[in-house]
Amino acid sequence: MSHEPVVPDPSGDTPREPSGNPSKDSPATPKPHSSSTAASSDQGSGINWGSFARNAVLIVVLIVMLWLFFNVQLPPADQMQARIEGFGWVSWLVFIGLYAVVALTPIPVTIMAVAGGLIFGVVLGSLFSVIGVLIGSWGAYWLARSLGTDAVRKVLGKYSEKIESRLDGAGFEAVCTLRLVPGIPYWPVNYGSGAFGITQRDFLGASVIAVIPGQVSLVALGAFVADPTIFHGTVVVLSWIVVLVMTVWAYKRWKAARH
């Protein structure tokens, strides 16, 4: 029985039989293709872990926010004052931390600012309130950027269209206006700014400018309740005048920026 010699493949890679059939030692041609197809199939049918994680976070955020909104009410300012003062010399840290957490949620921040005036007075109360609300707002901004636009639209609910339309085309001015206009809580502005493309610089800059007069006015109100002096009453009146003037200024700048 004669054997024909193996003829080298012209490509120089694998010897082949003269009949054109690959030798037993050479890999079959379809194998790389089938392996690639299988990998592609696995990739196509596999879990998109990024999307899965984002949706999981969205569900958690929605559940927590709904639970907080319907079940959690901050105690009256005088009760909060007693509880926070009970922490002694670290009470200011407790207050800032609690304020930051509240600013992350739909819970109104008003009671926190008023409590700041009751506990710490106008100067320190304003300082701690501004720090707390800015930390919480900044955290909400980055949480929204992590969740993505579509997810935040669901979180914002009824506020989504209003916030998105006002932020469009005028980031700094829009954030200032939304911070100052009555009836719009802080949390939709925080989440909307992160989701709808407001830069961190515009968000933080506008927040600092617009938050300070509003927080001072509320803190001064709490301080006046605790100690109704002419000084505290004057601060209340002046701070609210500043809020009104800044609201008009911010609105005009926002309209100009939109055009």
Side-chain angles (χ1 to χ4, degrees):
M1 178 185 231
S2 61
H3 293 276
E4 293 181 2
V6 176
V7 180
D9 190 354
S11 64
D13 294 333
T14 307
R16 62 179 176 83
E17 301 289 345
S19 61
N21 295 327
S23 66
K24 293 180 180 179
D25 295 331
S26 63
T29 304
K31 285 185 180 179
H33 174 72
S34 62
S35 176
S36 174
T37 303
S40 176
S41 176
D42 290 343
Q43 185 177 6
S45 61
I47 297 175
N48 186 331
W49 289 107
S51 177
F52 177 82
R54 177 173 294 181
N55 289 333
V57 173
L58 169 62
I59 292 171
V60 172
V61 170
L62 284 173
I63 292 174
V64 170
M65 284 197 167
L66 288 173
W67 187 84
L68 289 172
F69 186 75
F70 289 107
N71 296 281
V72 175
Q73 291 184 348
L74 293 177
D78 55 343
Q79 293 183 21
M80 187 175 296
Q81 176 186 6
R83 294 180 185 180
I84 293 178
E85 285 179 341
F87 287 94
W89 68 272
V90 296
S91 59
W92 64 279
L93 282 175
V94 174
F95 176 80
I96 290 175
L98 180 60
Y99 207 146
V101 171
V102 170
L104 277 167
T105 72
I107 300 174
V109 300
T110 304
I111 188 66
M112 291 299 303
V114 173
L118 286 170
I119 301 169
F120 304 106
V122 172
V123 178
L124 290 178
S126 297
L127 176 63
F128 299 152
S129 294
V130 169
I131 293 173
V133 78
L134 286 177
I135 291 174
S137 297
W138 194 24
Y141 172 87
W142 278 106
L143 179 58
R145 291 190 67 167
S146 301
L147 289 173
T149 303
D150 292 338
V152 172
R153 283 196 182 103
K154 297 175 183 177
V155 172
L156 292 179
K158 66 178 182 179
Y159 292 105
S160 177
E161 185 176 351
K162 180 187 294 185
I163 297 297
E164 187 171 5
S165 64
R166 282 163 173 74
L167 290 174
D168 184 33
F172 181 90
E173 294 82 1
V175 174
C176 271
T177 305
L178 291 170
R179 289 278 192 229
L180 292 164
V181 170
I184 300 181
Y186 276 17
W187 73 272
V189 182
N190 300 334
Y191 285 91
S193 298
F196 302 140
I198 304 301
T199 66
Q200 180 177 230
R201 183 179 65 179
D202 284 348
F203 174 76
L204 289 178
S207 294
V208 171
I209 291 174
V211 157
I212 290 175
Q215 291 296 298
V216 171
S217 65
L218 293 171
V219 171
L221 188 61
F224 182 78
V225 171
D227 185 16
T229 62
I230 295 177
F231 169 73
H232 289 151
T234 302
V235 174
V236 170
V237 173
L238 291 178
S239 59
W240 279 106
I241 291 174
V242 171
V243 170
L244 293 174
V245 171
M246 286 192 64
T247 302
V248 175
W249 166 81
Y251 179 77
K252 288 183 177 180
R253 290 213 37 180
W254 173 71
K255 294 289 286 185
R258 291 281 297 236
H259 295 298

